[in-house]
């Protein structure tokens, strides 16, 4: 973010969240970049922590990486439906194996929520077309250090300490026997998803799969 970009956004139509050169349509992306996202195909992620299989909508590179960074760091909320569409494709890959599943987004810490002004993962989930699955915020996030610069072991420990299951919300799901599909924006080492799966399993839930917008 810089003064030139801020001034342009104030007085000119918003630029594409990915290429930053062409004007954006209502989706936050120019037609070319939107077409690149549409062309992505889901892939099976290979995180270091494989406590739960993860299907990502695409690799964390190029158009997808640029758009995700704008979404998170510049609060480009208009991108939520585009990421919802991508999550919908990832969900379709696992849907037959997890009938009746609910989506549980990875929650932001309070600091991240204040900085961004919105829950970016939950907003992307809400953008999944056709109400493909019910969304249940069953996790709570405690303060945690920035993962940049941490070793895989340190990331795993920080993630484990920072996620807790919400007892009342998980109890109802456990009683109903409904499985859970975790949702995150980017999977790297998989430490966060592994910690989330562990917390929910301790609360009596079955967590057979996870989906993400991108895999790094």
């Amino acid at each position: 973010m810089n003064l030139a970009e801020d001034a342009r956004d104030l007085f000119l139509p918003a630029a594409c969240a990915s290429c930053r050169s062409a004007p954006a349509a209502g989706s936050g992306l120019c037609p070319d970049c939107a077409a690149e996202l549409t062309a992505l195909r889901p892939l099976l992620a290979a995180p270091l922590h494989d406590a739960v299989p993860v299907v990502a909508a695409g690799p964390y590179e190029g158009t997808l990486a640029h758009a995700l960074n704008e979404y998170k760091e510049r609060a480009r909320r208009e991108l939520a439906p585009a990421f919802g569409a991508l999550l919908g494709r990832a969900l379709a890959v696992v849907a037959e194996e997890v009938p009746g599943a609910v989506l549980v987004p990875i929650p932001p810490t309070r600091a991240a929520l204040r900085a961004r002004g919105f829950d970016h993962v939950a907003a992307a989930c809400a953008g999944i077309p056709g109400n493909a699955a019910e969304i249940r915020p069953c996790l709570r996030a405690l303060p945690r250090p920035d993962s940049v610069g941490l070793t895989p072991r340190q990331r795993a420990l920080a993630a484990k300490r920072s996620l807790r299951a919400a007892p009342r919300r998980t109890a109802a799901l456990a009683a109903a026997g409904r499985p859970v599909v975790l949702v995150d924006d980017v999977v790297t080492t998989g430490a966060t998803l592994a910690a989330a799966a562990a917390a929910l399993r301790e609360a009596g839930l079955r967590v057979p799969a996870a989906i993400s917008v991108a895999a790094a």
Side-chain angles (χ1 to χ4, degrees), residues 28-43:
L29 298 165
C30 69
D32 288 345
C33 289
E36 288 189 31
L37 291 192
T38 301
L40 292 174
R41 293 294 177 266
L43 57 91

Side-chain angles (χ1 to χ4, degrees), residues 93-170:
V93 175
V94 303
E96 290 187 5
E97 303 297 324
V98 287
V102 299
L103 300 182
V104 175
I106 298 297
T109 63
R110 289 186 179 180
L113 187 59
R114 284 195 302 269
R116 296 185 181 121
F118 75 119
D119 184 336
H120 68 292
V121 177
C125 284
I128 294 176
N131 299 315
E134 184 179 346
I135 302 167
R136 293 282 190 95
C138 293
L139 290 167
R140 295 173 179 168
L142 304 177
R144 63 181 292 179
D146 193 325
S147 60
V148 176
L150 298 182
T151 66
R153 184 174 181 277
Q154 290 171 328
R155 285 187 183 214
L157 183 58
K160 184 177 180 180
R161 290 174 173 172
S162 70
L163 289 171
R164 297 288 184 274
R168 291 183 180 178
R169 294 174 178 175
T170 54

Side-chain angles (χ1 to χ4, degrees), residues 4-114:
E5 289 182 345
D6 290 344
R8 180 176 64 184
D9 290 345
L10 280 173
F11 299 107
L12 296 175
C16 171
S18 181
C19 67
R20 298 292 295 169
S21 58
S27 65
L29 298 165
C30 69
D32 288 345
C33 289
E36 288 189 31
L37 291 192
T38 301
L40 292 174
R41 293 294 177 266
L43 57 91
L44 184 63
L48 297 177
H49 302 272
D50 56 357
V52 57
V54 185
V55 175
Y60 184 67
E61 61 187 26
T63 296
L64 181 55
H66 294 315
L68 263 174
N69 287 335
E70 285 286 296
Y71 179 59
K72 294 168 60 175
E73 306 307 326
R74 293 175 63 88
R76 295 287 296 269
R77 302 188 192 197
E78 71 272 25
L79 291 164
F83 296 134
L86 292 177
L87 286 174
R89 292 179 207 158
L91 180 60
V93 175
V94 303
E96 290 187 5
E97 303 297 324
V98 287
V102 299
L103 300 182
V104 175
I106 298 297
T109 63
R110 289 186 179 180
L113 187 59
R114 284 195 302 269

